[in-house]
């Protein structure tokens, strides 16, 4: 003890030196003036707005006359532009293409979640981000998705044969960094319940690709999110029709490729099954990530892997998928945006934009679509308190658009600048990725 006291002045000096070194440099204050602000919450745009950014956060945002600009702020000339929060893509598959995440970043996607993948697949992306000293994109992972025997995607999943195995795999995913878990459709109901219980214990969302699992049962069991509007297929047809589809998919996972369009084409969105689904959604308000873009089929255009005779049914089924997306939202589901990386009618890195356009085609206003792609997505990440909106104290993840998307959602494609955590991204560089 005495010896320690003897050294006390030295220790104090060392502590002071450490503190000085750790203190961040004077935080830069940026101001974006004369911009239209679409804040991501669904509120009407602010026409002549000011946004103040200090460090990695939004310090203030609002109408020009309500925001005072600090004298030392650095002014950014973006007058006449529209600023929206950075987009959140909740269904991005990295696969073997880490550069795609950076191309999407240049398109305004500042956060993404991969719903089912091994951590090893993100090593290269994280390496590039570190090497380029990039502030983003923010990466959210779920670990490999949890499926039953004969999994649909063996390379991206772990197989659980009973609830105890499901619980163990879920716990391992969480321990290894998953901030969500995903149930896959061959997992039996009791095992799915075990995964939901793990999510609730760790306060992370549980999502699912249902397909042949029953949506109402799982929503009632506490499932927080649903991937793909097609997850509701067996919930909107008769029990007998649903059972035939279920058995076909259990016998062959590929039966779902055309089968789901067939199921939707024949579904009645006002039938008793659909109405029971809407009631369940109204009670629980889960997040629904429709991923419409991956299912888009157009009349008169050939579809890979389908016969010419199948195309009209697929077109009809897709129209019904869009209609159901609107119906589940009206019933209370919280719609989010998932681009699904590679989709038929979007070029590289543009799937999130296509998804927003398809939401508008489904009956949402452009502002509602932007909310799906921003604050609703943040809610599904359990980050509604600091991501996805242009509000004081939120992370400064912003997209500067040349055109106004309020009436034409296609304007989300006119990205001029992207900011993550208060830092601009070199958009032109990552556009080439
Ligand atoms: Zn997927």
């Amino acid at each position: 003890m005495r010896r320690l006291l003897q050294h006390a002045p030295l220790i104090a000096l060392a502590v002071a030196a450490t503190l000085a070194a750790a203190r961040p440099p004077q935080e830069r204050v940026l101001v974006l003036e004369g911009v239209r602000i679409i804040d991501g919450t669904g509120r009407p745009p602010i026409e002549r707005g000011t946004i103040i950014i200090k460090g990695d956060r939004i310090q203030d945002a609002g109408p020009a006359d309500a925001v005072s600009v600090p004298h030392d702020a650095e002014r950014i000339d973006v007058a006449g532009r529209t600023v929206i929060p950075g987009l959140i893509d909740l269904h991005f598959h990295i696969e073997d293409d880490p550069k795609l995440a950076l191309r999407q970043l240049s398109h305004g996607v500042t956060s993404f979640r991969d719903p089912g993948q091994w951590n090893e697949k993100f090593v290269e992306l994280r390496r590039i981000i570190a090497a380029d000293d990039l502030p983003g994109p923010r990466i959210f992972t779920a670990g490999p998705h949890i499926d039953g025997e004969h999994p649909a995607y063996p390379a991206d999943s772990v197989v659980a044969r009973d609830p105890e195995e499901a619980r163990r795999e879920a716990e391992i995913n969480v321990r290894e960094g998953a901030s969500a878990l995903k149930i896959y459709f061959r997992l039996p109901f009791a095992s799915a319940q075990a995964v939901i219980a793990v999510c609730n214990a760790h306060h992370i969302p549980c999502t699912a690709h249902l397909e042949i699992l029953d949506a109402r049962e799982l929503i009632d069991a506490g499932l927080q999110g649903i991937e793909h509007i097609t997850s509701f297929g067996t919930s909107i047809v008769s029990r007998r029709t649903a059972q035939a589809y279920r058995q076909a998919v259990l016998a062959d996972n590929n039966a779902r490729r055309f089968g789901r369009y067939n199921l939707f084409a024949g579904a009645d969105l006002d039938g008793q099954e659909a109405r029971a689904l809407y009631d369940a959604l109204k009670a629980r308000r889960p997040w629904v990530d429709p991923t419409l873009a991956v299912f888009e089929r157009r009349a008169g255009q050939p579809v890979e892997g389908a016969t010419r005779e199948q195309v009209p049914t697929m077109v009809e089924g897709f129209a019904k998928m869009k209609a159901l997306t609107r119906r589940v939202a009206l019933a209370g589901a919280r719609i989010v945006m998932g681009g699904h990386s590679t989709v038929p009618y979007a070029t590289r890195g543009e799937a999130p934009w296509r998804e927003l356009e398809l939401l508008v085609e489904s009956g949402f206003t452009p502002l509602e679509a932007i909310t799906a792609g921003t604050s609703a997505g943040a809610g599904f990440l359990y980050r509604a308190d600091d991501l996805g909106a242009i509000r004081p104290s939120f992370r400064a993840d912003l997209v500067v658009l040349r055109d106004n998307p309020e009436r034409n959602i296609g304007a989300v494609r006119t990205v001029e600048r992207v900011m993550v955590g208060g830092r601009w991204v070199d958009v032109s560089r990552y556009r080439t990725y």
Side-chain angles (χ1 to χ4, degrees):
M1 187 65 186
R2 249 216 335 258
R3 283 178 64 160
L4 194 70
L5 277 176
Q6 259 177 17
H7 293 297
L10 258 181
I11 292 167
L13 263 178
V15 168
T18 311
L19 281 177
R23 195 178 299 142
Q26 189 67 36
E27 278 188 315
R28 224 160 42 124
V29 180
L30 301 178
V31 56
L32 279 57
E33 284 176 301
V35 290
R36 179 180 300 103
I37 301 173
I38 293 179
D39 72 0
T41 68
R43 273 189 287 239
I46 294 167
E47 283 304 324
R48 239 180 307 280
T50 299
I51 303 171
I52 314 269
I53 295 136
K54 187 173 186 191
D56 67 344
R57 306 250 176 187
I58 295 162
Q59 189 177 51
D60 203 357
D65 53 10
V67 174
S68 56
V69 178
H71 68 277
D72 58 344
E74 182 186 326
R75 292 181 142 84
I76 310 291
D77 183 20
V78 283
R81 306 298 198 258
T82 299
V83 182
I84 63 172
L87 296 174
I88 299 173
D89 183 349
L90 285 172
H91 202 114
F92 175 78
H93 291 294
I94 193 164
E95 304 292 353
D96 294 311
D97 189 2
K99 285 188 164 182
L100 181 59
L102 299 173
R103 189 173 170 101
Q104 285 204 173
L105 175 64
S106 79
H107 291 166
V109 180
T110 53
S111 298
F112 73 80
R113 177 158 73 205
D114 190 317
Q117 196 47 268
W118 295 90
N119 285 338
E120 287 85 339
K121 292 274 188 171
F122 301 92
V123 170
E124 177 60 9
L125 176 60
R126 294 186 200 279
R127 188 197 64 76
I128 299 173
I129 287 172
D132 290 4
D133 188 28
L134 271 170
R138 300 183 194 276
I139 303 170
F140 295 85
T141 59
H145 59 243
I146 302 168
D147 206 346
E149 288 180 84
H150 310 293
Y153 294 101
D156 307 340
S157 58
V158 287
V159 168
R161 292 170 300 167
D162 59 39
E164 180 52 20
E165 282 193 357
R167 190 195 63 75
R168 275 183 7 229
E169 295 295 351
E171 287 286 356
I172 294 169
N173 279 5
V174 174
R175 209 179 311 137
E176 294 186 348
S179 55
L181 294 177
K182 185 181 179 192
I183 290 165
Y184 227 73
F185 63 76
R186 296 190 76 105
L187 198 65
F189 178 71
S191 300
Q193 279 182 305
V195 177
I196 294 169
V198 171
C199 282
N200 289 335
H202 292 279
H203 304 290
I204 61 172
C206 185
T207 194
H209 177 157
L210 297 172
E211 201 80 39
I212 57 171
L213 282 166
D214 188 79
R216 266 182 291 155
E217 275 176 4
L218 276 163
I219 291 167
D220 287 343
L223 182 70
Q224 286 89 0
I226 290 132
E227 304 298 315
H228 313 304
I229 193 67
T230 52
S231 275
F232 294 121
T234 54
S235 303
I236 55 170
V237 295
S238 73
R239 185 172 167 226
R240 185 175 172 211
T241 305
Q243 190 57 221
Y245 179 68
R246 188 179 154 80
Q247 290 181 23
V249 174
L250 282 170
D252 176 8
N253 286 326
N254 285 321
R256 72 190 193 280
R257 306 227 174 267
F258 174 70
R260 52 167 64 124
Y261 288 97
N262 200 36
L263 211 57
F264 268 81
D268 175 4
L269 302 190
D270 292 302
Q272 61 172 17
E273 294 85 5
R275 280 186 278 120
L277 172 67
Y278 305 149
D279 286 344
L281 296 170
K282 192 175 176 180
R284 292 280 188 159
R285 302 205 63 217
W287 283 278
V288 171
D289 185 356
T291 70
L292 289 165
V294 76
F295 303 117
E296 185 174 10
R297 301 291 181 263
R298 293 182 184 175
Q301 301 199 16
V303 175
E304 211 186 300
T307 66
R308 212 137 59 100
E309 292 68 41
Q310 287 176 328
V311 173
T313 305
M314 297 179 102
V315 172
E316 198 189 335
F318 180 63
K320 206 76 81 68
M321 290 172 196
K322 287 194 290 185
L324 183 65
T325 299
R326 185 63 184 155
R327 294 296 293 268
V328 299
L330 292 173
R334 290 176 275 190
I335 303 295
V336 297
M337 184 272 283
H340 211 285
S341 303
T342 308
V343 299
Y345 295 100
T347 53
R348 183 175 170 74
E350 298 187 0
W353 292 341
R354 185 68 200 135
E355 185 67 15
L356 294 175
E357 289 167 344
L358 285 169
L359 288 177
V360 173
E361 274 189 28
S362 304
F364 296 82
T365 66
L367 281 184
E368 287 172 332
I370 290 168
T371 299
T374 56
S375 68
F380 195 9
L381 291 170
Y382 287 12
R383 290 286 296 269
D385 56 345
D386 78 333
L387 283 184
I390 301 177
R391 292 177 56 182
S393 87
F394 275 49
R395 303 275 171 184
D397 294 2
L398 305 172
V399 184
V400 178
L401 303 174
R402 187 193 64 218
D403 297 339
N404 178 7
E406 190 189 359
R407 279 189 192 84
N408 173 20
I409 190 64
V412 294
R413 295 172 179 268
T414 64
V415 174
E416 288 187 338
R417 289 169 176 258
V418 178
M419 173 184 280
V420 187
R423 290 168 59 197
W424 297 111
V425 168
D426 185 349
V427 164
S428 58
R429 175 175 179 188
Y430 299 108
R431 281 276 159 95
T432 65
Y433 274 35

